[in-house]
Amino acid sequence: MMHDVKKTIAVLGGTGKEGGGLALRWAHRGHPVIIGSRTAERAEEAAAEMRETLGGAGSVKGLANPDAAAAADIVVLSVPYAAQQATVSEVATQLAGKILIDVTVPLVPPKVSRVQLPAGGSAVEAVQKLLGDGVRVVSAFQNISAHHLTKLDEDVECDVLVCADDPAAADEVVALAEEIGLTAWNAGPLCNSVVAEALTSVLISLNRRYKVPGTGIRITGVSKDA
Amino acid sequence: MMHDVKKTIAVLGGTGKEGGGLALRWAHRGHPVIIGSRTAERAEEAAAEMRETLGGAGSVKGLANPDAAAAADIVVLSVPYAAQQATVSEVATQLAGKILIDVTVPLVPPKVSRVQLPAGGSAVEAVQKLLGDGVRVVSAFQNISAHHLTKLDEDVECDVLVCADDPAAADEVVALAEEIGLTAWNAGPLCNSVVAEALTSVLISLNRRYKVPGTGIRITGVSKDA
């Protein structure tokens, strides 16, 4: 762990499976967690459910997205691709000076097993452009199955690729991922996020073709113990 | 192995490290191999060197690219990105009805650790478009380090993502990869090649940041033995 004082993490879209899984794991590790949603009511509902799962072991509350972002040190964005830009715009002011971890996968239903990247490359680069240099945008967690995150004692067999134009911000997110039992790598600048964003479609394609529930990737030829 | 009679494989750009490594492995497994290059002389030079490495165990000859493509059942393209389109144009007629395995990585020097994809997505889709439906274009091998290929008895710690709009062509290339000791996966349509093409920059970025010679990927959550 890098910090003695645990940073407060808001998960916008924390009512969904992927965001909820991440929120649960961070709360379990002692981070104050705020679930963000479009309405405070839905957010608090999800937070109450999570408190029950944790059996009183964590601090979880629910707020509307802008309030959640305002109250947090670090903000995670885990919403459907179609809601990405609108959600970011709504909390832009509250993000100033903070790290925004974007988990968005630019899937275009119904053909989610085909890579269909936005014009210009990765979805997260458009978010960084929208927010400007005052927010340190980091891309991560796109390839981690929500299913595995939710089972707290389960090993996740998929590495996390972390990309950011600010390497220190990427390193901080690598540490946050490792706190919740994931293996994470600083994979370079934000434009490299194309790999993580597109990889999700490849993994869905592999799941279907090879009839397995959840493929992932491991990085080889490098070790965290070295 | 899928075939009793070994198909003849031409490797355009087989004088380079990556193409040469693949050619060496297929020749070692009994495929008649043709090294293609811009001039027959350079191709034959590389072929002679390879014959020496193999100690008379394989069939390797060298021809100019169009003659190499004409004489082969399956053609592999392993040239620098800047030469991709010109090389393909030069052999378009000779490719009719065949499988073209494109190994090209769209690196843009000097920033090879940054993903810089061509407008419109993957480089290989532009090749399929240029050649039309009469050639079955398959994307593969972009992430395999030439260094490991050249050492014939070395395990390659990196899986091969194989993409093609013709699934049967992809399966044939998966089998060719497995013949030379690689683990390969049919990763969906040609547009999914974005992942493999962009991943090379991420791996270069990881090599530099973590100071290791050769990172790779493994697909998890699925087994060839299942």
Side-chain angles (χ1 to χ4, degrees):
Chain A
M1 255 163 287
M2 289 180 75
H3 314 284
D4 291 313
V5 177
K6 296 284 192 178
K7 292 192 172 177
T8 298
I9 302 174
V11 182
L12 314 185
T15 53
K17 281 186 194 176
E18 182 78 22
L22 290 167
L24 182 72
R25 286 211 170 203
W26 278 312
H28 183 67
R29 299 294 301 170
H31 283 277
V33 161
I34 307 168
I35 303 293
S37 187
R38 267 170 298 177
T39 70
E41 289 69 28
R42 281 207 61 206
E44 180 47 34
E45 250 177 62
E49 208 175 292
M50 203 169 288
R51 284 194 297 268
E52 207 176 294
T53 305
L54 290 164
S59 156
V60 185
K61 62 182 175 182
L63 292 172
N65 284 330
D67 297 332
D73 302 307
I74 289 175
V75 180
V76 179
L77 179 68
S78 180
V79 297
Y81 178 45
Q84 184 190 36
Q85 296 259 342
T87 309
V88 167
S89 302
E90 198 193 10
V91 300
T93 315
Q94 290 82 357
L95 291 177
K98 298 178 183 174
I99 285 178
L100 174 68
I101 307 174
D102 188 5
V103 183
T104 309
V105 180
L107 298 177
V108 185
K111 296 192 172 175
V112 295
S113 68
R114 291 180 72 91
V115 175
Q116 296 178 82
L117 288 177
S122 69
V124 72
E125 285 172 285
V127 167
Q128 179 73 76
K129 205 169 171 186
L130 193 153
L131 291 168
D133 290 344
V135 180
R136 298 189 291 163
V137 177
V138 181
S139 154
F141 303 112
Q142 291 91 346
N143 311 124
I144 308 301
S145 137
H147 180 73
H148 292 293
L149 287 174
T150 312
K151 300 186 175 175
L152 282 171
D153 46 8
E154 201 162 287
D155 276 342
V156 176
E157 273 208 16
C158 185
D159 287 5
V160 179
L161 298 176
V162 179
C163 300
D165 287 336
D166 178 337
D171 287 341
E172 194 162 337
V173 175
V174 166
L176 282 171
E178 292 183 340
E179 262 193 73
I180 55 174
L182 303 170
T183 302
W185 305 100
N186 184 332
L190 209 55
C191 58
N192 286 6
S193 172
V194 158
V195 173
E197 293 181 24
L199 183 60
T200 299
S201 290
V202 164
L203 297 178
I204 293 170
S205 181
L206 291 173
N207 292 347
R208 290 180 182 174
R209 188 169 305 267
Y210 295 97
K211 300 183 174 49
V212 292
T215 52
I217 62 154
R218 286 282 193 213
I219 300 296
T220 61
V222 57
S223 162
K224 284 285 174 178
D225 312 320
Chain B
M1 253 161 286
M2 290 180 76
H3 314 284
D4 291 316
V5 177
K6 295 284 191 177
K7 292 193 174 177
T8 298
I9 302 174
V11 182
L12 313 185
T15 52
K17 280 187 193 175
E18 183 78 21
L22 290 167
L24 182 71
R25 287 211 170 205
W26 277 312
H28 182 67
R29 299 293 300 168
H31 283 277
V33 162
I34 307 168
I35 303 293
S37 187
R38 268 171 297 177
T39 69
E41 290 68 30
R42 282 208 60 206
E44 181 46 35
E45 250 177 60
E49 208 175 293
M50 203 170 288
R51 283 193 299 267
E52 205 175 295
T53 305
L54 290 165
S59 156
V60 185
K61 60 181 175 184
L63 291 172
N65 283 330
D67 296 330
D73 301 308
I74 290 175
V75 180
V76 178
L77 180 67
S78 179
V79 297
Y81 177 44
Q84 184 189 35
Q85 296 259 342
T87 309
V88 168
S89 302
E90 197 193 9
V91 300
T93 315
Q94 290 82 356
L95 291 176
K98 298 178 182 173
I99 286 178
L100 174 69
I101 306 174
D102 188 5
V103 183
T104 309
V105 180
L107 298 177
V108 186
K111 297 192 172 174
V112 293
S113 67
R114 291 180 72 92
V115 174
Q116 297 177 82
L117 288 176
S122 69
V124 72
E125 285 171 285
V127 166
Q128 178 74 75
K129 207 171 169 185
L130 192 154
L131 291 169
D133 290 344
V135 180
R136 298 190 291 164
V137 177
V138 180
S139 152
F141 302 112
Q142 292 90 346
N143 311 125
I144 307 301
S145 135
H147 180 73
H148 292 293
L149 287 174
T150 313
K151 300 187 175 173
L152 282 170
D153 46 7
E154 199 162 287
D155 277 344
V156 176
E157 273 208 16
C158 185
D159 287 6
V160 179
L161 298 175
V162 179
C163 301
D165 287 337
D166 178 338
D171 287 341
E172 194 162 337
V173 175
V174 166
L176 282 171
E178 292 182 340
E179 261 193 73
I180 54 174
L182 303 169
T183 302
W185 305 99
N186 183 332
L190 209 55
C191 57
N192 287 5
S193 172
V194 158
V195 172
E197 292 180 24
L199 183 60
T200 299
S201 290
V202 165
L203 297 177
I204 293 170
S205 182
L206 292 172
N207 292 347
R208 289 180 182 176
R209 189 169 305 268
Y210 295 97
K211 299 181 175 50
V212 291
T215 53
I217 62 155
R218 286 284 193 211
I219 300 296
T220 61
V222 58
S223 164
K224 285 284 172 177
D225 312 319

